Amino acid sequence: MENREFWFVVGSQFLYGPEVLEIVDKRAAEMTEALNASGNLPYKLVYKVTAKTNQEIADVVKEANYNDNCCGIITWCHTFSPSKMWINGFVNLQKPYCHLATQYNLEIPNEEIDMDFMNLNQAAHGDREHGFIAARLRMPRKVIAGYWKDESVQKRLGAWMRTAVGVAVSRKLKVMRFGDNMREVAVTEGDKVEVQAKLGWQVNTWAVGDLVKVMNAVTEEEIDALVAEYKANYDIATDNMEAIRYQAKEEIAMKKMMDAEGCKAFANTFQDLYGMEQLPGLASQHLMAQGYGYGGEGDWKVSAMTAIMKAMGENGNGASGFMEDYTYHLVPGQQYSLGAHMLEVCPSLAGNKPRIETHFLGIGMNEKDPARLVFEGKEGDAIVVSLIDMGGRLRLICQDIHCVKPIMPMPNLPVARVMWQAMPNLTTGVECWITAGGAHHTVLSYDVTAEQMKDWANIMGIEYVHIGKDTTVEGLEQQLFLNDLAWKLQ
Ligand code: MN
């Protein structure tokens, strides 16, 4: 993993004299050290400067913009920092920005409080002056308020860091397309130029024939090594080792091509398997397990979002994967969605050890039965996310869900499956999702939150729609109507 870090920039001014500035500097360093030691920040915090002048702020912003390791800045005003000093820096800031509105002391010290204490500990009004200028400049930002030693504050800061890493990953993301989108499908289309300008994605195509050439050059030794890895991670529930070896060959070839181009996401389609015997199933699943994004039917948008949301998760490769809404259980009192795909569900979603199985697949030109991982999704709160192109703008839709252990075994279903309760409930949730135009393909994530996706969308400058426990169809329709007007003015 790259050396990702975040910069702590503290605001002050010369008004208080050198002794106060020395204390501020010492405390900022102490806070940075304690935050790093807390275990609640997933990335390193680096204390850069207590800034007193316009020039110091402009300089640290310029450095942050050009430093590839720096994924964002976190600011705080221990004392009062007149915010006109921040304008020249802030108008040029290209990295994610979080304002931590905190203070060094937990309590107001009853006996000790005097004007010296007040001059040194002014965050309550210093942070307001600081907040005004970001509001005035219409900057995308995260505001986190609370005591810096408080675990919940530290965890929120940690979650924001992961969001900012999602921004860094997005801005450098390359997507490899094998073949075009599935014929006639609308929602998987999109403006690649707009997406590159807004989100940074480089989305390009490679011929399936080129992939087949790379597959044909894969050696038996390479396949042996990957099959050994499959055996170490999954139960083999088929005698068809030939199919497993074929998937290994596909995986090795796709990985070689992606790594040679620096791609972290890919899409393919069952309609274009020219020269391949099987649709990659196990191959795509095991690539997702390693952090690569994937989208079926040529869906490069969901593939890119999968890669980004994986990078936002635990250890930079979290429990997020490509998902598709398949069918509903509409029995009153037990209403569930069943999600799956024809093969490609990421094992990071698994609640049990995945089994490798081979089955006939009627969709697409599969000459042979493809091997795939079969498992049940784990229980827990999660989200499903869909990025759609509205024509002129991108809309990110995020719905809260609660995944359950599937309520029936479904022994004849030959693919991995996840079952969930949608918020606010199944039917209202479906009405909201369809009203917003959400796709049948999503990224399902257990460790990225709706708040993180909102922050990510804000930083990227795209529309965000959230469907949660309090959402109503009427309220959502009103929001979408107003969003439409607002986005036309942009
Ligand atoms: Mn699909």
Side-chain angles (χ1 to χ4, degrees):
M1 231 159 83
E2 293 162 68
N3 278 328
R4 303 189 194 281
E5 60 186 39
F6 289 79
W7 291 2
F8 192 34
V9 178
V10 176
S12 192
Q13 60 177 325
F14 285 117
L15 183 70
Y16 312 104
E19 293 82 11
V20 165
L21 287 174
E22 246 172 62
I23 295 171
V24 171
D25 181 66
K26 221 175 90 199
R27 287 180 175 180
E30 178 200 336
M31 289 164 72
T32 303
E33 203 176 314
L35 286 165
N36 282 324
S38 73
N40 291 321
L41 302 189
Y43 299 94
K44 190 170 140 198
L45 185 65
V46 179
Y47 167 48
K48 287 302 280 190
V49 64
T50 292
K52 288 111 16 216
T53 64
N54 186 303
Q55 191 62 50
E56 280 179 310
I57 295 161
D59 286 348
V60 76
V61 166
K62 191 163 73 176
E63 201 187 333
N65 286 343
Y66 280 88
N67 187 306
D68 282 338
N69 292 337
C70 175
C71 291
I73 67 164
I74 295 164
T75 62
W76 169 55
C77 293
H78 190 310
T79 59
F80 196 79
S81 173
S83 273
K84 281 159 77 174
M85 275 184 206
W86 290 78
I87 296 173
N88 299 66
F90 270 175
V91 294
N92 291 318
L93 181 63
Q94 294 165 353
K95 295 289 170 79
Y97 160 47
C98 174
H99 178 178
L100 178 62
T102 189
Q103 66 181 19
Y104 180 76
N105 53 305
L106 175 66
E107 298 176 8
I108 297 172
N110 183 32
E111 298 291 331
E112 291 160 40
I113 191 161
D114 56 13
M115 270 331 279
D116 284 344
F117 181 92
M118 297 281 264
N119 280 335
L120 176 62
N121 298 284
Q122 301 189 355
H125 70 276
D127 275 327
R128 285 165 201 241
E129 165 70 3
H130 192 59
F132 163 73
I133 203 62
R136 172 67 180 78
L137 296 173
R138 274 76 173 170
M139 292 172 68
R141 62 184 160 148
K142 181 71 177 174
V143 182
I144 296 175
Y147 188 51
W148 58 281
K149 285 184 182 168
D150 186 342
E151 191 177 36
S152 70
V153 170
Q154 294 172 351
K155 285 192 164 157
R156 289 187 70 205
L157 199 58
W160 177 80
M161 284 179 163
R162 294 185 193 283
T163 303
V165 164
V167 172
V169 169
S170 180
R171 286 177 175 164
K172 286 167 85 172
L173 187 66
K174 294 184 179 182
V175 184
M176 183 166 278
R177 303 174 68 218
F178 295 111
D180 204 345
N181 301 53
M182 181 180 165
R183 286 188 283 275
E184 306 292 352
V185 175
V187 79
T188 58
E189 294 285 356
D191 181 342
K192 300 189 203 76
V193 174
E194 174 73 7
V195 162
Q196 189 162 353
K198 277 280 182 197
L199 309 177
W201 306 351
Q202 301 170 53
V203 184
N204 289 296
T205 189
W206 276 262
V208 176
D210 288 337
L211 174 58
V212 172
K213 269 188 219 158
V214 180
M215 280 171 57
N216 289 340
V218 172
T219 66
E220 292 301 308
E221 292 71 31
E222 287 173 299
I223 294 173
D224 290 343
L226 185 52
V227 169
E229 200 179 321
Y230 291 159
K231 283 180 176 164
N233 287 290
Y234 312 123
D235 290 332
I236 310 278
T238 174
D239 297 329
N240 190 346
M241 286 309 293
E242 191 201 334
I244 296 175
R245 293 184 71 82
Y246 194 80
Q247 291 284 330
K249 189 196 278 193
E250 291 179 324
E251 174 179 337
I252 292 161
M254 288 191 288
K255 188 170 186 315
K256 278 183 184 173
M257 284 183 71
M258 282 195 280
D259 290 352
E261 295 289 340
C263 294
K264 284 296 284 179
F266 69 108
N268 59 14
T269 169
F270 63 87
Q271 284 175 333
D272 190 352
L273 293 179
Y274 191 80
M276 297 168 80
E277 292 175 3
Q278 303 175 14
L279 179 64
L282 170 60
S284 296
Q285 292 172 294
H286 194 247
L287 283 167
M288 273 188 275
Q290 295 162 70
Y292 293 90
Y294 173 77
E297 291 89 62
D299 192 342
W300 50 269
K301 295 201 300 300
V302 82
S303 173
M305 287 309 303
T306 305
I308 291 164
M309 290 172 65
K310 278 179 167 296
M312 286 166 69
E314 297 289 331
N315 303 316
N317 182 18
S320 300
F322 169 60
M323 185 51 61
E324 180 167 275
D325 289 77
Y326 253 93
T327 191
Y328 303 129
H329 193 63
L330 289 165
V331 176
Q334 36 164 191
Q335 299 193 320
Y336 299 100
S337 289
L338 180 67
H341 205 255
M342 63 176 83
L343 298 174
E344 313 90 340
V345 182
C346 178
S348 70
L349 309 181
N352 60 329
K353 192 174 183 187
R355 293 182 309 278
I356 300 177
E357 301 182 8
T358 51
H359 300 275
F360 173 71
L361 178 64
I363 296 172
M365 296 287 123
N366 295 281
E367 293 167 27
K368 302 268 178 72
D369 296 352
R372 81 287 307 270
L373 294 169
V374 180
F375 55 86
E376 289 184 343
K378 58 187 173 188
E379 196 261 333
D381 288 334
I383 55 172
V384 281
V385 169
S386 168
L387 180 75
I388 59 170
D389 187 329
M390 291 295 289
R393 75 174 187 275
L394 299 163
R395 171 181 286 168
L396 190 76
I397 303 159
C398 175
Q399 182 173 34
D400 298 326
I401 62 171
H402 180 74
C403 298
V404 298
K405 180 176 166 51
I407 61 167
M408 52 196 82
M410 298 175 280
N412 295 313
L413 181 66
V415 292
R417 72 294 301 265
V418 183
M419 190 173 264
W420 65 83
Q421 294 164 318
M423 300 296 147
N425 57 61
L426 177 60
T427 51
T428 305
V430 170
E431 286 172 17
C432 288
W433 189 267
I434 288 175
T435 299
H440 53 288
H441 285 167
T442 58
V443 185
L444 188 152
S445 179
Y446 288 94
D447 63 1
V448 178
T449 65
E451 180 180 352
Q452 287 177 295
M453 294 318 296
K454 173 185 65 96
D455 293 339
W456 185 84
N458 283 347
I459 298 168
M460 305 319 294
I462 64 171
E463 184 187 5
Y464 176 76
V465 175
H466 182 209
I467 303 166
K469 66 179 173 42
D470 300 322
T471 307
T472 63
V473 175
E474 191 182 357
L476 184 75
E477 283 171 345
Q478 175 84 354
Q479 185 201 339
L480 296 176
F481 172 74
L482 294 174
N483 283 4
D484 247 344
L485 292 178
W487 281 92
K488 274 175 192 150
L489 298 173
Q490 300 252 330

